[in-house]
Amino acid sequence: MGQPLPFPPPPELRDHGVCTLLSETLARIGDKWTVLVVEQLSDQGRSPMRFNEIRRSIDGISQRMLTLTLRALERDGLVTRTVHPTVPPRVDYQLTELGRSLRRPLVAVAEWARANRATIAEARKVFDATSDASPSSRQLRRRRPALGRAPRAPSAEPEPG
């Protein structure tokens, strides 16, 4: 890994455009589906994979989510998409050199998570036992009504049976 960033960060890292690009990049490479797709394509080495091969190898990913993830990875230069002129068309996906370079930091983060999962679970237990706002209370908040609509008042009339 590289050198740690100095604190406070230098002026070039405080630039709004640079911060936006860093934020977008971290959001892309930290996304659950991105990590799993990169892992699958890395496991194949330099061999391309077809769309349905990738989909079958990642439990729970929908066709739409895989399509969106692959498009974003292609846009960011991490994956190449090759369409073969056959009937039906065959489409292969493969990591680029940039995509392959992402594997090492992702593996390091996964190893860190594996090594620290018990400590994190214990910290969550302590927090949940001592905190006024438990995670479940945040999840149970009611959704607000759609904009422009007043909340419906309960009807005083009995519903038709």
Side-chain angles (χ1 to χ4, degrees):
M1 297 261 186
Q3 296 292 325
L5 291 175
F7 188 81
E12 64 271 13
L13 291 182
R14 286 184 254 153
D15 174 75
H16 179 71
V18 171
C19 287
T20 300
L21 181 59
L22 284 173
S23 179
E24 289 172 357
T25 302
L26 290 172
R28 164 61 38 225
I29 64 173
D31 174 70
K32 166 187 174 180
W33 299 120
T34 293
V35 171
L36 295 172
V37 168
V38 168
E39 178 183 24
Q40 287 305 312
L41 291 173
S42 294
D43 288 347
Q44 291 299 312
R46 294 184 184 263
S47 301
M49 284 183 80
R50 296 179 75 169
F51 183 91
N52 282 325
E53 285 180 279
I54 301 169
R55 195 173 79 178
R56 282 191 300 270
S57 68
I58 300 174
D59 191 39
I61 194 167
S62 68
Q63 181 170 335
R64 180 177 188 279
M65 187 52 64
L66 180 56
T67 299
L68 293 173
T69 301
L70 287 167
R71 279 187 190 155
L73 290 170
E74 183 182 12
R75 180 175 184 244
D76 290 344
L78 300 169
V79 165
T80 57
R81 177 179 186 265
T82 306
V83 180
H84 301 277
T86 59
V87 177
R90 183 177 132 203
V91 181
D92 291 329
Y93 295 89
Q94 192 169 12
L95 288 177
T96 62
E97 191 61 40
L98 181 63
R100 285 189 295 277
S101 74
L102 181 57
R103 188 172 195 282
R104 188 172 176 190
L106 288 180
V107 166
V109 169
E111 288 172 355
W112 180 90
R114 220 175 278 115
N116 291 288
R117 67 179 173 214
T119 305
I120 292 169
E122 185 59 33
R124 287 177 179 174
K125 276 191 222 173
V126 169
F127 179 85
D128 291 348
T130 60
S131 175
D132 292 338
S134 70
S136 59
S137 68
R138 288 190 294 271
Q139 294 170 355
L140 294 176
R141 285 189 209 142
R142 298 200 183 265
R143 289 179 40 190
R144 288 192 243 172
L147 293 176
R149 293 175 132 183
R152 291 180 14 167
S155 174
E157 300 175 14
E159 291 190 21

